[in-house]
Amino acid sequence: MEIDKIVLEDNKEYFIIDVLMINQVKYVFLSENLNPHTSIIRKLSTNGKEIIGLESEQEYEKTLRLFTDKYKDIFC
């Protein structure tokens, strides 16, 4: 099985772990070297062509909570 990868502005390659649609926004969950300690969350721009940062700590917390809820059987 091959996992999709992208390169971000830090010139590091990240694996795409999951993509969730939340309130009509596509959030991308990424990890460098599939290491959970290097996980980051980004979102797709409205045109779907750019990966952009989150706007606030609250947005990060909301998306992380929904991601962990989705995979609660793995995390617990």
Side-chain angles (χ1 to χ4, degrees), residues 16-57:
I16 298 174
I17 302 303
D18 200 358
V19 177
L20 294 179
M21 181 71 83
I22 303 168
N23 298 329
Q24 287 138 21
V25 176
K26 228 179 231 186
Y27 289 92
V28 183
F29 296 81
L30 306 161
S31 179
E32 183 184 6
N33 300 320
L34 298 177
N35 178 344
H37 299 290
T38 62
S39 298
I40 60 173
I41 304 170
R42 295 290 174 90
K43 63 184 174 182
L44 292 180
S45 62
T46 54
N47 66 12
K49 295 182 180 184
E50 299 170 330
I51 293 182
I52 55 177
L54 304 183
E55 295 175 18
S56 66
E57 188 70 28

Side-chain angles (χ1 to χ4, degrees), residues 20 22 29 61-71:
L20 294 179
I22 303 168
F29 296 81
E61 290 171 3
K62 176 183 79 174
T63 56
L64 182 59
R65 184 174 54 254
L66 292 169
F67 178 81
T68 54
D69 283 350
K70 179 178 178 180
Y71 294 102

